[in-house]
Amino acid sequence: AMHVVPWFMLHFATLLKARTNLTGHARKHLRRSIFRRYMNFSESSMSRVAGTFEYTLETEAGILAGGVFQLFELFSAFVDIGINLTFILIKNPRAVPFVLSVCGLMIVSASIRHACATKPSAKAEFSQMSRFLKEAWAKIGLIHAFWMRPAMNDRFAEVAHSLEDKLLQHHIFVLQSRFVLQSVPVIIFGLYLIYGSHRVLTGDIGVGTFL
């Protein structure tokens, strides 16, 4: 229990961190800032960035806001799994079945998760943002003439909020999927502790080999 319970506590703490959505808020405000600056462009300046602005707003802003955090999380997951497996193999070669079961169960868990759950997609929200940007570009003359930039900024904020909600759902899904995969080595390691401690008590292996 002392081995497994902290793992679940760590998962709930990670979920709480995800729901604060610091990366998402940074991404949303970055997009709003880019769009606000775009609304102050002249028509000639807008024409020069028309081919790249949409991609920058939809994709590069998200990559910039979340890329660094994802790298740390991915590295942490691989290090955690690698340390557990290497430790068992070096200290007790008889634990090979446990190591093989880790790999097999991770594959099975990933397959079940993929088959039973639908990954949220933000494709519709991205399309909505794309249509809004094209509409703003097509009517930029009217927007400037009738001083509609504040209203357009407010409308864009609504579109960005809808997109961010969907991206948050996607992030929670990925987080839960990662938890399922990371739980496998923790559970297997706990079983190994039960199995190994019994063998130590019966004198089959030494304490040094088990530890």
Side-chain angles (χ1 to χ4, degrees):
M2 293 181 64
H3 177 74
V4 176
V5 171
W7 178 258
F8 284 95
M9 293 177 62
L10 181 61
H11 171 63
F12 288 123
T14 305
L15 274 179
L16 180 62
K17 175 185 174 183
R19 293 190 182 280
T20 59
N21 200 24
L22 294 178
T23 303
H25 288 300
R27 184 167 49 228
K28 178 175 65 177
H29 287 294
L30 180 59
R31 284 176 174 145
R32 292 183 62 182
S33 298
I34 294 173
F35 184 78
R36 187 179 297 110
R37 189 175 185 86
Y38 177 75
M39 285 289 97
N40 290 322
F41 281 10
S42 63
E43 292 189 25
S44 60
S45 298
M46 288 182 175
S47 63
R48 287 197 297 268
V49 300
T52 59
F53 175 73
E54 183 176 334
Y55 177 79
T56 299
L57 196 63
E58 293 184 356
T59 306
E60 291 184 343
I63 295 174
L64 181 62
V68 176
F69 295 98
Q70 292 177 358
L71 286 176
F72 279 114
E73 292 175 1
L74 183 62
F75 178 76
S76 175
F78 277 112
V79 169
D80 181 58
I81 294 174
I83 289 175
N84 284 334
L85 296 183
T86 303
F87 171 80
I88 294 176
L89 285 176
I90 292 177
K91 296 299 181 179
N92 187 6
R94 295 183 179 181
V96 171
F98 288 93
V99 175
L100 296 178
S101 65
V102 168
C103 300
L105 286 177
M106 289 182 69
I107 295 174
V108 172
S109 300
S111 301
I112 294 176
R113 178 68 172 172
H114 178 73
C116 299
T118 302
K119 187 175 183 179
S121 174
K123 184 177 181 179
E125 285 72 19
F126 271 120
S127 298
Q128 182 184 14
M129 179 178 287
S130 178
R131 290 193 299 270
F132 179 83
L133 293 176
K134 291 177 181 178
E135 178 186 357
W137 167 246
K139 299 178 181 179
I140 194 63
L142 293 175
I143 293 173
H144 286 171
F146 291 94
W147 193 249
M148 295 178 61
R149 282 179 292 184
M152 293 297 289
N153 287 332
D154 291 340
R155 285 185 58 192
F156 181 79
E158 295 176 0
V159 174
H161 179 72
S162 176
L163 174 61
E164 195 53 52
D165 283 344
K166 185 62 69 173
L167 290 175
L168 176 59
Q169 295 176 22
H170 176 271
H171 177 63
I172 295 297
F173 177 87
V174 172
L175 188 65
Q176 295 281 29
S177 299
R178 187 176 301 160
F179 171 73
V180 171
L181 293 178
Q182 292 177 345
S183 297
V184 172
V186 174
I187 295 173
I188 295 298
F189 188 69
L191 295 175
Y192 166 74
L193 291 178
I194 297 173
Y195 166 76
S197 60
H198 174 72
R199 295 184 62 189
V200 169
L201 294 175
T202 58
D204 189 22
I205 60 174
V207 177
T209 302
F210 170 66
L211 297 177

